[in-house]
Amino acid sequence: MPPGITTLAADTPTLSAANTGFMLICSALVMLMTPALAFFYGGMVRVKSTLNMLMMSFISLGIVTILWVLYGFSLAFGSDVGSILGWSSDYVGLSGIGVTQLWDGYTIPVYVFAVFQLMFAVLTPALISGALADRVKFTSWALFITLWVTVVYFPVAHWVWGAGGWLYEMGVIDFAGGTAVHINAGAAALGVILVIGKRVGFKKDPMRPHSLPLVMLGAGLLWFGWFGFNAGSWLGNDDGVGAVMFVNTQVATAAAMLAWLGYEKLRHGSFTTLGAASGAVAGLVAITPSGGAVSPLGAIAVGAIAGVLCAMAVGLKYRFGYDDSLDVVGVHLVGGVAGSLLVGLFATGGVQSDAKGLFYGGGLDQLGKQAVGVFAVLAYSLVVSAVLAFLLDRTIGMRVTEDDEISGIDQGEHAETAYDFSGAGGGAALRTAGSAQGSTAAARTKKVDA
C-alpha cells in the first residue's frame, strides 16, 4: 500500500471522482469482511459458542472505529516521529481535515483514505479472536482490543505503510497487509493463547464445527470483500496496478484452495468443505502482501505453496500443545509469512515497484528485506500481545469460569443462544437449562459435542 508522499507543486493532483468512488466502494467491501469473518468463525465453533464468536468480531467495528477517529489515524499515518510512530494534531478526532483536502500525492480525499484504512484496523484484531474461541471473557476481550490496537496495530501500520516508517523506508513490500494485518494478528493470537491456556477438553472432546454452511458463507463473503481489501490498496486504478492485484487475488485464492484440497485428499482421504474454505482464506492471506509485485503465474505459485504450507501448519497445535481454536496461527501467521517471503522470489519488478525477486534476477536483496519485515512484526506482536494478555489475566482475568466454558459461553457471557429449537418460549427454557447445566458441568465434560 503506498503511503502519503510529497509531490512538487507542479505535480499536485486534483480530485478524481472516479478514484474517490472506487475507494469508497472498496472501503465498504473491506467493512463487509468483518461480519464475513464472524460468520466464518461462527460456523467453525460448537453451537454453544456461536454468538460469542460472532460478537468477538462484531465488537471490533465499534471499539476500533472510535479509537481510530480519536487518535489511531494520527498514530498510524500522521507525520513521522522517529520512524516508529506518526502524529498530526489535525488528524486527532479528524478535526483538522478539509472536506476536499487530498491525501498527499493521490487523487482521493484524506477522509476517504482514513475510512479505507479504518476498515483494515477493524478487521485485524477480529482475526485474533478465532484463536481464543470458547474461553475468553467478553469484557476482557474488549479491553484487549483497545490496548492491542493502540500499542501494536497503530505503530506497526506506521512502520509498514506510513511515510517515514522504518520498514517502508527499508523497501519492504507489503501491498495490502501481509505483515501489518495477517502476521500481526497471527503472532498476537499465538502470544495470547500461550498465556491463557487450552480449552477444557482440548485433544479429548470432539470440537467439530457446528455449521459448515455458515463457514462456507463466511468464506465466500471474505473472498468477495477481499477484492476491495487488495485492489483498493493502490488507492486508485489510473495505472492498472489495482487491476493486476484483482486478478492475482482471484488466481492465488483458487490455487490455494485446490492445493489445500489436494493435500487433504492425499493426507486424510477426503475433500472437505472446511478444507475448501480454509484453503481459499490461506490463498487470500498469502497474496495480500505480494499480489501487486508478481505476475498471474507467480500468483498461482504463491497460492499453491501457501495452500499446502497452511494445510500442514494447522496440525502443529496438536504436536506442540497450543490451543489455536480456529487455526489463526496456521492460516494467518503461516500464510502471511509465506506470502511476504515469496515476494523475494517472485517479484517481477515490472508492476508495483522496480524490486525484483530471486527468480527474476534480483538476487537475495529483496528476500532479505522481506525477512526483516516478517520477523520484526512477528516478534513485536508476539511479545507485546503476550504481555497484554498476562496483565489482563492477572488483573481482571481473561477466562470465563470452567462451568461457563463447559455449559456454554453464549449463556454465561451474553444470556442468549444462537438457535431456539423449542418453539415459543424456548429462550427462557434454554436459559433455565443452561443454568442447570452449569451446576453439573463436571459430570458433562466428556459428553460435550455441541
Side-chain angles (χ1 to χ4, degrees):
M1 181 177 301
I5 56 175
T6 303
T7 56
L8 299 175
D11 299 325
T12 300
T14 58
L15 188 145
S16 166
N19 283 339
T20 298
F22 170 71
M23 290 306 302
L24 287 173
I25 293 170
C26 288
S27 300
L29 288 171
V30 181
M31 180 272 165
L32 179 66
M33 291 173 67
T34 297
L37 181 74
F39 288 146
F40 180 70
Y41 282 167
M44 290 175 69
V45 296
R46 292 169 288 179
V47 69
K48 63 183 181 179
S49 304
T50 306
L51 295 180
N52 180 255
M53 198 72 262
L54 295 174
M55 279 291 287
M56 288 180 79
S57 290
F58 210 73
I59 194 64
S60 186
L61 282 162
I63 294 171
V64 180
T65 296
I66 300 303
L67 297 180
W68 187 254
V69 171
L70 293 178
Y71 59 82
F73 183 54
S74 182
L75 289 176
F77 291 100
S79 300
D80 181 64
V81 179
S83 300
I84 300 298
L85 285 173
W87 187 258
S88 295
S89 59
D90 286 347
Y91 294 168
V92 175
L94 304 185
S95 57
I97 301 172
V99 174
T100 59
Q101 179 182 343
L102 299 183
W103 185 243
D104 286 347
Y106 293 89
T107 59
I108 60 173
V110 175
Y111 273 123
V112 174
F113 178 77
V115 77
F116 181 68
Q117 280 294 330
L118 163 61
M119 302 312 173
F120 281 64
V122 166
L123 177 68
T124 306
L127 293 172
I128 302 169
S129 66
L132 316 178
D134 299 332
R135 60 200 190 274
V136 174
K137 293 179 182 177
F138 189 69
T139 301
S140 300
W141 170 246
L143 184 55
F144 177 82
I145 288 178
T146 301
L147 297 172
W148 188 83
V149 295
T150 300
V151 300
V152 179
Y153 181 80
F154 298 155
V156 170
H158 184 76
W159 298 357
V160 175
W161 294 319
W166 72 279
L167 291 179
Y168 176 79
E169 295 299 329
M170 180 184 292
V172 174
I173 294 175
D174 187 351
F175 193 97
T179 54
V181 175
H182 298 291
I183 293 174
N184 207 1
L190 181 58
V192 176
I193 58 181
L194 290 177
V195 171
I196 67 172
K198 308 173 184 66
R199 289 168 290 178
V200 174
F202 176 65
K203 294 203 293 187
K204 297 178 182 178
D205 298 331
M207 296 181 179
R208 294 188 290 268
H210 88 279
S211 177
L212 288 169
L214 197 60
V215 173
M216 295 296 283
L217 173 64
L221 289 174
L222 280 170
W223 195 332
F224 175 69
W226 224 290
F227 290 117
F229 192 85
N230 281 356
S233 289
W234 198 244
L235 308 184
N237 199 32
D238 293 334
D239 53 6
V241 176
V244 172
M245 188 57 168
F246 194 109
V247 171
N248 285 346
T249 299
Q250 177 69 17
V251 168
T253 307
M257 179 178 66
L258 295 176
W260 185 303
L261 288 172
Y263 174 85
E264 190 175 58
K265 178 66 174 178
L266 292 173
R267 182 74 174 80
H268 303 293
S270 300
F271 300 116
T272 69
T273 53
L274 183 60
S278 299
V281 173
L284 291 165
V285 170
I287 201 61
T288 293
S290 58
V294 303
S295 68
L297 288 177
I300 292 175
V302 169
I305 292 168
V308 172
L309 289 178
C310 292
M312 296 171 64
V314 296
L316 293 177
K317 62 184 179 183
Y318 299 111
R319 177 175 298 179
F320 295 108
Y322 61 88
D323 186 6
D324 175 16
S325 306
L326 307 183
D327 302 316
V328 178
V329 175
V331 173
H332 293 276
L333 178 57
V334 173
V337 168
S340 297
L341 293 178
L342 289 172
V343 175
L345 301 181
F346 293 107
T348 63
V351 185
Q352 176 186 350
S353 74
D354 294 331
K356 293 183 178 181
L358 178 64
F359 297 159
Y360 287 82
L364 296 174
D365 181 61
Q366 191 60 41
L367 181 60
K369 293 176 181 178
Q370 296 302 119
V372 171
V374 163
F375 293 109
V377 173
L378 193 161
Y380 180 74
S381 184
L382 175 68
V383 172
V384 176
S385 301
V387 169
L388 290 176
F390 178 82
L391 294 175
L392 288 172
D393 195 45
R394 291 298 183 270
T395 52
I396 64 174
M398 283 287 284
R399 292 192 65 145
V400 298
T401 66
E402 185 172 324
D403 276 0
D404 279 346
E405 184 177 336
I406 294 171
S407 62
I409 195 171
D410 286 358
Q411 286 283 357
E413 290 292 297
H414 307 289
E416 297 174 305
T417 55
Y419 306 102
D420 182 358
F421 300 107
S422 61
L430 285 171
R431 284 192 289 273
T432 302
S435 298
Q437 288 170 343
S439 65
T440 59
R444 299 181 62 254
T445 302
K446 295 296 184 182
K447 300 179 181 178
V448 175
D449 187 20

